[in-house]
Amino acid sequence: MRRNKSIILLSAGHACVDVYQGAVAALVPFFVAERAYSYAAASGVVLAASLLSSVAQPLFGALTDRRPLPWLLPVSTLLGGAGIALSGLGDSYALTLALVALSGLGVAAYHPESARVARLASRGSHTAMGWFSLGGTLGFAAAPLLVAAVVAGGGLRLTPLLVIPAVVGSVLCLVALRALAEPSGEAGAREVPGTDDPRSFALLSLAVVCRSITFIGLSTFIAFHVQERTGGGTASGTAALFVLYAGGAVGSVLGGALAERWDRVAVVRRSYLLTVVAVAGLFLVPGPAVHVFVALASAGLYVPFSLQVTLGQDYLPTRIGTAGGITLGLTVSVGGLTTPLIGAAADATSLRTALAPLALLPAVGWLLVRGLREPRTAAAAVATSGAP
Protein backbone atom coordinates (compact mmCIF):
# COMPACT_ATOMS: atom_id res chain seq x y z
CA MET A 1 0.00 0.00 0.00
CA ARG A 2 2.89 2.36 0.77
CA ARG A 3 4.37 1.70 -2.68
CA ASN A 4 1.02 2.35 -4.34
CA LYS A 5 0.70 5.59 -2.40
CA SER A 6 4.17 6.64 -3.55
CA ILE A 7 3.40 5.97 -7.23
CA ILE A 8 0.16 7.96 -6.98
CA LEU A 9 1.94 10.89 -5.34
CA LEU A 10 4.81 10.75 -7.84
CA SER A 11 2.31 10.62 -10.70
CA ALA A 12 0.50 13.69 -9.37
CA GLY A 13 3.81 15.49 -8.92
CA HIS A 14 4.77 14.52 -12.47
CA ALA A 15 1.53 16.12 -13.67
CA CYS A 16 2.42 19.36 -11.91
CA VAL A 17 5.83 19.47 -13.60
CA ASP A 18 4.71 18.56 -17.11
CA VAL A 19 2.09 21.30 -16.97
CA TYR A 20 5.05 23.55 -17.73
CA GLN A 21 6.19 21.52 -20.73
CA GLY A 22 2.67 21.73 -22.15
CA ALA A 23 2.34 25.38 -21.15
CA VAL A 24 5.09 26.44 -23.54
CA ALA A 25 3.12 25.32 -26.61
CA ALA A 26 -0.13 26.53 -25.04
CA LEU A 27 1.29 30.03 -24.56
CA VAL A 28 2.51 30.30 -28.17
CA PRO A 29 -0.87 31.41 -29.65
CA PHE A 30 -1.12 34.11 -26.97
CA PHE A 31 2.41 35.33 -27.71
CA VAL A 32 1.46 35.49 -31.41
CA ALA A 33 -1.79 37.35 -30.70
CA GLU A 34 -0.48 39.79 -28.09
CA ARG A 35 3.07 40.37 -29.29
CA ALA A 36 2.67 39.68 -33.04
CA TYR A 37 5.33 36.94 -33.13
CA SER A 38 5.91 35.25 -36.49
CA TYR A 39 5.82 31.43 -36.76
CA ALA A 40 9.61 31.38 -36.56
CA ALA A 41 9.70 33.65 -33.50
CA ALA A 42 6.98 31.62 -31.79
CA SER A 43 8.82 28.37 -32.43
CA GLY A 44 11.92 30.01 -30.96
CA VAL A 45 10.11 30.09 -27.62
CA VAL A 46 9.70 26.32 -27.80
CA LEU A 47 13.35 26.03 -28.80
CA ALA A 48 14.41 28.03 -25.73
CA ALA A 49 12.58 25.60 -23.46
CA SER A 50 14.14 22.61 -25.20
CA LEU A 51 17.72 23.67 -25.90
CA LEU A 52 19.05 24.03 -22.36
CA SER A 53 16.90 21.10 -21.23
CA SER A 54 18.31 18.80 -23.91
CA VAL A 55 21.88 19.49 -22.82
CA ALA A 56 21.21 19.36 -19.09
CA GLN A 57 19.13 16.19 -18.78
CA PRO A 58 21.89 13.66 -19.52
CA LEU A 59 24.15 15.55 -17.10
CA PHE A 60 21.55 15.30 -14.34
CA GLY A 61 21.09 11.63 -15.24
CA ALA A 62 24.82 10.97 -14.86
CA LEU A 63 24.78 12.75 -11.50
CA THR A 64 21.93 10.58 -10.21
CA ASP A 65 23.84 7.46 -11.29
CA ARG A 66 26.66 8.49 -8.98
CA ARG A 67 24.49 9.59 -6.06
CA PRO A 68 20.71 9.76 -5.45
CA LEU A 69 19.50 13.38 -5.42
CA PRO A 70 15.88 13.22 -4.20
CA TRP A 71 15.91 16.91 -3.20
CA LEU A 72 15.99 17.70 -6.92
CA LEU A 73 12.32 16.75 -7.26
CA PRO A 74 10.74 19.59 -5.21
CA VAL A 75 13.40 22.15 -6.15
CA SER A 76 13.21 21.49 -9.90
CA THR A 77 9.41 21.57 -9.78
CA LEU A 78 9.50 25.10 -8.34
CA LEU A 79 12.12 26.17 -10.89
CA GLY A 80 10.03 24.89 -13.79
CA GLY A 81 6.99 26.78 -12.56
CA ALA A 82 8.82 30.03 -11.85
CA GLY A 83 10.13 30.36 -15.40
CA ILE A 84 6.72 29.97 -17.02
CA ALA A 85 5.00 32.13 -14.41
CA LEU A 86 7.31 35.06 -15.19
CA SER A 87 7.48 34.57 -18.98
CA GLY A 88 4.39 36.68 -19.67
CA LEU A 89 5.74 39.77 -17.91
CA GLY A 90 7.45 42.44 -19.99
CA ASP A 91 7.72 42.71 -23.76
CA SER A 92 11.36 41.70 -24.19
CA TYR A 93 11.71 38.70 -26.49
CA ALA A 94 15.17 37.92 -25.06
CA LEU A 95 13.82 37.95 -21.48
CA THR A 96 10.94 35.69 -22.49
CA LEU A 97 13.39 33.20 -24.02
CA ALA A 98 15.57 33.31 -20.89
CA LEU A 99 12.64 32.65 -18.56
CA VAL A 100 11.29 29.81 -20.68
CA ALA A 101 14.81 28.35 -20.76
CA LEU A 102 14.90 28.56 -16.95
CA SER A 103 11.70 26.54 -16.84
CA GLY A 104 13.27 24.03 -19.21
CA LEU A 105 16.22 23.67 -16.83
CA GLY A 106 13.84 22.84 -14.00
CA VAL A 107 12.14 20.20 -16.13
CA ALA A 108 15.57 18.81 -17.08
CA ALA A 109 16.58 18.44 -13.44
CA TYR A 110 13.31 16.73 -12.54
CA HIS A 111 12.97 13.90 -15.04
CA PRO A 112 16.08 11.69 -14.60
CA GLU A 113 15.75 11.55 -10.81
CA SER A 114 11.96 11.13 -10.95
CA ALA A 115 12.35 8.20 -13.38
CA ARG A 116 14.82 6.57 -10.97
CA VAL A 117 12.58 7.09 -7.95
CA ALA A 118 9.47 5.94 -9.82
CA ARG A 119 11.20 2.77 -11.01
CA LEU A 120 12.24 2.07 -7.42
CA ALA A 121 8.68 2.62 -6.18
CA SER A 122 7.16 0.53 -8.99
CA ARG A 123 9.49 -2.45 -8.41
CA GLY A 124 9.70 -2.88 -12.19
CA SER A 125 5.95 -3.00 -12.82
CA HIS A 126 5.08 -1.75 -16.33
CA THR A 127 1.59 -0.85 -15.15
CA ALA A 128 2.94 1.25 -12.27
CA MET A 129 5.32 3.06 -14.60
CA GLY A 130 2.37 3.61 -16.93
CA TRP A 131 0.55 5.36 -14.09
CA PHE A 132 3.62 7.48 -13.42
CA SER A 133 3.74 8.47 -17.10
CA LEU A 134 0.00 9.14 -17.00
CA GLY A 135 0.66 11.94 -14.52
CA GLY A 136 2.92 13.70 -16.99
CA THR A 137 0.39 13.17 -19.76
CA LEU A 138 -2.40 14.69 -17.68
CA GLY A 139 -0.15 17.64 -16.92
CA PHE A 140 0.37 18.17 -20.65
CA ALA A 141 -3.38 17.84 -21.24
CA ALA A 142 -4.26 20.31 -18.49
CA ALA A 143 -1.77 22.91 -19.73
CA PRO A 144 -3.81 24.44 -22.60
CA LEU A 145 -6.93 24.58 -20.42
CA LEU A 146 -5.04 26.07 -17.51
CA VAL A 147 -3.24 28.60 -19.69
CA ALA A 148 -6.47 29.56 -21.45
CA ALA A 149 -8.31 29.95 -18.14
CA VAL A 150 -5.60 32.21 -16.76
CA VAL A 151 -4.46 34.16 -19.81
CA ALA A 152 -7.49 34.38 -22.14
CA GLY A 153 -9.35 36.84 -19.91
CA GLY A 154 -6.60 39.10 -18.62
CA GLY A 155 -3.71 38.59 -21.02
CA LEU A 156 -0.10 37.53 -20.45
CA ARG A 157 0.21 39.78 -17.38
CA LEU A 158 -1.63 37.07 -15.40
CA THR A 159 0.95 34.33 -16.02
CA PRO A 160 2.31 34.59 -12.42
CA LEU A 161 -0.81 32.64 -11.39
CA LEU A 162 0.64 29.67 -13.28
CA VAL A 163 3.13 29.09 -10.45
CA ILE A 164 0.40 27.40 -8.36
CA PRO A 165 0.86 23.86 -9.81
CA ALA A 166 4.59 24.08 -9.04
CA VAL A 167 3.92 24.82 -5.38
CA VAL A 168 1.46 21.93 -5.16
CA GLY A 169 3.82 19.60 -7.02
CA SER A 170 6.77 20.34 -4.76
CA VAL A 171 4.70 19.45 -1.69
CA LEU A 172 3.55 16.19 -3.33
CA CYS A 173 7.16 15.28 -4.12
CA LEU A 174 8.17 15.79 -0.50
CA VAL A 175 5.32 13.60 0.74
CA ALA A 176 6.16 10.86 -1.79
CA LEU A 177 9.82 10.86 -0.83
CA ARG A 178 8.93 10.61 2.84
CA ALA A 179 6.64 7.65 2.13
CA LEU A 180 9.41 5.84 0.25
CA ALA A 181 11.93 6.56 2.99
CA GLU A 182 9.77 4.92 5.68
CA PRO A 183 10.69 1.32 6.56
CA SER A 184 8.39 -1.05 4.68
CA GLY A 185 9.07 -4.08 6.80
CA GLU A 186 9.66 -6.15 3.64
CA ALA A 187 12.84 -8.09 2.93
CA GLY A 188 12.94 -7.03 -0.75
CA ALA A 189 15.81 -8.95 -2.30
CA ARG A 190 18.25 -6.80 -4.20
CA GLU A 191 18.71 -7.69 -7.85
CA VAL A 192 22.08 -7.62 -9.60
CA PRO A 193 22.23 -5.29 -12.61
CA GLY A 194 22.53 -6.98 -15.97
CA THR A 195 24.89 -6.13 -18.82
CA ASP A 196 24.55 -2.90 -20.77
CA ASP A 197 23.40 -3.14 -24.40
CA PRO A 198 24.53 0.20 -25.90
CA ARG A 199 23.52 -0.71 -29.48
CA SER A 200 19.91 -1.46 -28.58
CA PHE A 201 19.78 1.62 -26.39
CA ALA A 202 21.08 3.80 -29.23
CA LEU A 203 18.49 2.45 -31.69
CA LEU A 204 15.72 2.96 -29.14
CA SER A 205 16.90 6.50 -28.44
CA LEU A 206 16.90 7.39 -32.13
CA ALA A 207 13.35 6.06 -32.40
CA VAL A 208 12.31 8.20 -29.45
CA VAL A 209 13.84 11.22 -31.22
CA CYS A 210 11.55 10.52 -34.19
CA ARG A 211 8.60 10.28 -31.83
CA SER A 212 9.66 13.48 -30.09
CA ILE A 213 10.01 15.56 -33.25
CA THR A 214 6.57 14.40 -34.37
CA PHE A 215 4.94 15.12 -31.03
CA ILE A 216 6.58 18.50 -30.36
CA GLY A 217 5.94 19.62 -33.93
CA LEU A 218 2.27 18.74 -33.62
CA SER A 219 1.88 20.22 -30.15
CA THR A 220 3.43 23.51 -31.27
CA PHE A 221 1.44 23.97 -34.48
CA ILE A 222 -1.63 21.72 -34.27
CA ALA A 223 -3.81 24.56 -32.97
CA PHE A 224 -3.02 26.67 -36.04
CA HIS A 225 -3.36 23.71 -38.42
CA VAL A 226 -6.79 22.71 -37.10
CA GLN A 227 -8.00 26.30 -37.29
CA GLU A 228 -7.04 26.32 -40.96
CA ARG A 229 -8.58 22.89 -41.69
CA THR A 230 -11.87 23.48 -39.90
CA GLY A 231 -12.27 27.23 -40.37
CA GLY A 232 -12.77 27.55 -36.62
CA GLY A 233 -11.32 30.09 -34.26
CA THR A 234 -8.98 29.91 -31.29
CA ALA A 235 -11.39 27.62 -29.42
CA SER A 236 -11.14 25.01 -32.18
CA GLY A 237 -7.35 25.08 -32.03
CA THR A 238 -7.29 24.87 -28.24
CA ALA A 239 -9.67 21.91 -28.38
CA ALA A 240 -7.33 20.10 -30.78
CA LEU A 241 -4.36 20.71 -28.50
CA PHE A 242 -6.36 19.39 -25.55
CA VAL A 243 -7.31 16.26 -27.53
CA LEU A 244 -3.66 15.71 -28.47
CA TYR A 245 -2.64 15.81 -24.83
CA ALA A 246 -5.70 14.14 -23.28
CA GLY A 247 -5.61 11.22 -25.72
CA GLY A 248 -2.21 10.49 -24.27
CA ALA A 249 -3.88 9.76 -20.92
CA VAL A 250 -5.47 6.69 -22.47
CA GLY A 251 -2.27 5.79 -24.28
CA SER A 252 -0.07 5.97 -21.17
CA VAL A 253 -2.21 3.55 -19.14
CA LEU A 254 -2.95 1.33 -22.14
CA GLY A 255 0.74 0.98 -22.91
CA GLY A 256 1.52 -0.43 -19.47
CA ALA A 257 -1.45 -2.80 -19.60
CA LEU A 258 -0.54 -4.08 -23.07
CA ALA A 259 3.06 -4.64 -22.00
CA GLU A 260 1.88 -6.88 -19.15
CA ARG A 261 0.24 -9.10 -21.78
CA TRP A 262 2.71 -8.82 -24.67
CA ASP A 263 6.35 -7.75 -24.66
CA ARG A 264 7.18 -4.06 -24.71
CA VAL A 265 9.05 -4.06 -28.00
CA ALA A 266 6.05 -5.51 -29.90
CA VAL A 267 3.75 -2.88 -28.40
CA VAL A 268 6.19 -0.09 -29.32
CA ARG A 269 6.46 -1.33 -32.93
CA ARG A 270 2.69 -1.43 -33.46
CA SER A 271 2.25 1.98 -31.87
CA TYR A 272 4.64 3.54 -34.38
CA LEU A 273 2.68 2.02 -37.27
CA LEU A 274 -0.57 3.44 -35.86
CA THR A 275 1.07 6.84 -35.60
CA VAL A 276 2.07 6.81 -39.27
CA VAL A 277 -1.57 6.36 -40.33
CA ALA A 278 -2.92 8.83 -37.78
CA VAL A 279 -0.53 11.67 -38.58
CA ALA A 280 -1.09 11.21 -42.32
CA GLY A 281 -4.83 11.52 -41.66
CA LEU A 282 -4.29 14.90 -40.03
CA PHE A 283 -3.24 16.34 -43.38
CA LEU A 284 -5.57 14.37 -45.66
CA VAL A 285 -8.93 14.49 -43.85
CA PRO A 286 -10.82 17.82 -44.04
CA GLY A 287 -13.25 19.37 -41.59
CA PRO A 288 -14.07 18.42 -37.97
CA ALA A 289 -13.09 14.77 -38.59
CA VAL A 290 -9.49 15.92 -38.18
CA HIS A 291 -10.06 15.75 -34.41
CA VAL A 292 -10.46 11.96 -34.65
CA PHE A 293 -7.01 11.67 -36.18
CA VAL A 294 -5.61 14.01 -33.54
CA ALA A 295 -6.87 11.55 -30.91
CA LEU A 296 -5.44 8.54 -32.78
CA ALA A 297 -2.10 10.26 -33.21
CA SER A 298 -2.07 11.06 -29.50
CA ALA A 299 -2.70 7.43 -28.55
CA GLY A 300 -0.08 6.16 -31.00
CA LEU A 301 2.52 8.58 -29.66
CA TYR A 302 1.80 7.91 -25.99
CA VAL A 303 1.27 4.12 -25.82
CA PRO A 304 5.04 3.48 -26.13
CA PHE A 305 6.12 6.39 -23.93
CA SER A 306 6.55 4.73 -20.52
CA LEU A 307 7.61 1.47 -22.20
CA GLN A 308 10.51 3.24 -23.89
CA VAL A 309 11.66 4.61 -20.54
CA THR A 310 11.78 1.17 -18.88
CA LEU A 311 13.28 -0.42 -22.00
CA GLY A 312 16.03 2.18 -21.93
CA GLN A 313 16.67 1.45 -18.25
CA ASP A 314 16.84 -2.30 -18.99
CA TYR A 315 19.20 -1.78 -21.93
CA LEU A 316 21.48 0.25 -19.61
CA PRO A 317 20.86 -1.43 -16.23
CA THR A 318 24.09 -0.12 -14.72
CA ARG A 319 23.27 3.50 -15.65
CA ILE A 320 19.54 3.92 -15.17
CA GLY A 321 19.85 7.63 -14.35
CA THR A 322 21.58 8.28 -17.65
CA ALA A 323 19.02 6.08 -19.44
CA GLY A 324 16.15 8.01 -17.86
CA GLY A 325 17.79 11.33 -18.64
CA ILE A 326 18.04 10.38 -22.32
CA THR A 327 14.79 8.51 -22.98
CA LEU A 328 12.60 10.65 -20.71
CA GLY A 329 14.53 13.87 -21.24
CA LEU A 330 17.11 14.43 -23.98
CA THR A 331 15.27 12.67 -26.80
CA VAL A 332 12.06 14.48 -25.87
CA SER A 333 13.79 17.86 -25.75
CA VAL A 334 15.44 17.29 -29.12
CA GLY A 335 11.99 17.60 -30.69
CA GLY A 336 11.90 21.23 -29.63
CA LEU A 337 15.16 21.91 -31.47
CA THR A 338 13.45 21.26 -34.80
CA THR A 339 10.51 23.60 -34.28
CA PRO A 340 12.30 26.69 -35.67
CA LEU A 341 12.88 24.77 -38.92
CA ILE A 342 9.18 23.90 -39.10
CA GLY A 343 8.25 27.49 -38.29
CA ALA A 344 10.61 28.89 -40.94
CA ALA A 345 9.24 26.42 -43.53
CA ALA A 346 5.68 27.43 -42.61
CA ASP A 347 6.52 31.13 -43.06
CA ALA A 348 8.12 30.39 -46.46
CA THR A 349 5.46 28.00 -47.79
CA SER A 350 2.39 26.99 -45.77
CA LEU A 351 1.80 25.39 -42.40
CA ARG A 352 0.35 22.23 -43.97
CA THR A 353 3.39 21.82 -46.22
CA ALA A 354 5.78 22.33 -43.30
CA LEU A 355 4.01 19.77 -41.09
CA ALA A 356 3.40 17.06 -43.71
CA PRO A 357 6.89 15.44 -43.35
CA LEU A 358 6.03 14.61 -39.72
CA ALA A 359 4.04 11.63 -41.03
CA LEU A 360 7.29 10.00 -42.20
CA LEU A 361 9.14 10.14 -38.89
CA PRO A 362 7.08 7.43 -37.07
CA ALA A 363 7.87 5.14 -40.03
CA VAL A 364 11.58 5.77 -39.46
CA GLY A 365 11.02 5.03 -35.76
CA TRP A 366 9.36 1.73 -36.65
CA LEU A 367 12.35 0.73 -38.78
CA LEU A 368 14.70 1.54 -35.90
CA VAL A 369 12.86 -0.59 -33.33
CA ARG A 370 12.04 -3.40 -35.75
CA GLY A 371 15.21 -5.31 -34.88
CA LEU A 372 15.09 -4.75 -31.11
CA ARG A 373 14.46 -7.58 -28.67
CA GLU A 374 13.00 -7.60 -25.18
CA PRO A 375 15.85 -7.36 -22.62
CA ARG A 376 16.55 -10.71 -20.99
CA THR A 377 16.63 -9.29 -17.49
CA ALA A 378 13.51 -7.15 -17.29
CA ALA A 379 13.39 -4.86 -14.26
CA ALA A 380 17.07 -5.40 -13.54
CA ALA A 381 17.38 -1.65 -13.39
CA VAL A 382 15.49 -1.67 -10.10
CA ALA A 383 18.77 -2.71 -8.53
CA THR A 384 19.33 0.60 -6.83
CA SER A 385 19.72 1.72 -3.30
CA GLY A 386 16.71 0.96 -1.14
CA ALA A 387 16.39 4.62 -0.20
CA PRO A 388 15.19 7.27 -2.60
Side-chain angles (χ1 to χ4, degrees):
M1 291 299 296
R2 183 174 290 115
R3 296 287 172 172
N4 291 338
K5 174 185 176 182
S6 297
I7 282 292
I8 292 171
L9 290 170
L10 288 169
S11 178
H14 194 188
C16 292
V17 171
D18 277 6
V19 158
Y20 300 109
Q21 283 193 304
V24 177
L27 281 168
V28 163
F30 295 99
F31 285 131
V32 170
E34 193 167 318
R35 299 180 180 175
Y37 287 173
S38 66
Y39 283 136
S43 59
V45 176
V46 180
L47 173 64
S50 303
L51 185 59
L52 184 58
S53 181
S54 65
V55 175
Q57 295 210 40
L59 299 179
F60 282 112
L63 285 174
T64 61
D65 281 335
R66 298 181 63 182
R67 177 185 299 175
L69 300 172
W71 57 267
L72 270 179
L73 299 188
V75 171
S76 60
T77 300
L78 290 173
L79 189 63
I84 293 297
L86 296 174
S87 66
L89 303 182
D91 294 325
S92 169
Y93 184 66
L95 179 60
T96 300
L97 296 184
L99 289 168
V100 171
L102 179 67
S103 178
L105 181 62
V107 171
Y110 172 85
H111 279 103
E113 180 66 359
S114 68
R116 185 193 70 81
V117 174
R119 191 71 190 272
L120 175 67
S122 71
R123 295 177 180 257
S125 166
H126 303 318
T127 300
M129 286 299 289
W131 283 105
F132 172 69
S133 295
L134 172 64
T137 303
L138 292 177
F140 262 103
L145 300 180
L146 180 63
V147 168
V150 171
V151 178
L156 292 172
R157 63 184 179 82
L158 295 182
T159 56
L161 294 175
L162 295 175
V163 78
I164 294 174
V167 176
V168 173
S170 64
V171 173
L172 292 173
C173 288
L174 290 172
V175 176
L177 292 172
R178 175 174 294 183
L180 279 174
E182 293 173 357
S184 63
E186 299 175 1
R190 178 180 298 222
E191 298 180 66
V192 178
T195 303
D196 288 345
D197 184 355
R199 178 182 177 278
S200 294
F201 181 79
L203 290 173
L204 175 69
S205 297
L206 289 173
V208 180
V209 168
C210 292
R211 181 254 178 213
S212 171
I213 294 173
T214 304
F215 178 77
I216 299 297
L218 289 178
S219 65
T220 303
F221 296 106
I222 193 66
F224 302 113
H225 174 71
V226 169
Q227 287 178 46
E228 290 181 359
R229 296 291 283 173
T230 63
T234 305
S236 177
T238 300
L241 189 60
F242 174 74
V243 170
L244 180 67
Y245 291 163
V250 178
S252 296
V253 176
L254 183 60
L258 291 175
E260 297 289 354
R261 185 170 182 179
W262 297 288
D263 69 76
R264 290 170 291 179
V265 174
V267 175
V268 170
R269 286 194 201 107
R270 292 163 187 170
S271 299
Y272 276 94
L273 289 177
L274 171 63
T275 305
V276 173
V277 176
V279 176
L282 289 176
F283 308 110
L284 298 175
V285 176
V290 71
H291 289 284
V292 175
F293 287 90
V294 173
L296 289 175
S298 177
L301 289 166
Y302 268 105
V303 161
F305 189 63
S306 67
L307 306 183
Q308 290 168 156
V309 175
T310 58
L311 276 171
Q313 290 174 327
D314 287 342
Y315 285 139
L316 290 185
T318 66
R319 291 176 287 168
I320 64 170
T322 299
I326 293 175
T327 56
L328 192 61
L330 173 62
T331 51
V332 176
S333 300
V334 165
L337 305 182
T338 64
T339 53
L341 299 177
I342 298 174
D347 286 332
T349 57
S350 70
L351 185 58
R352 184 182 180 187
T353 299
L355 292 177
L358 295 181
L360 299 176
L361 289 172
V364 176
W366 176 80
L367 290 173
L368 288 167
V369 300
R370 188 171 175 230
L372 295 183
R373 296 291 180 266
E374 187 75 13
R376 291 184 179 180
T377 310
V382 184
T384 59
S385 168

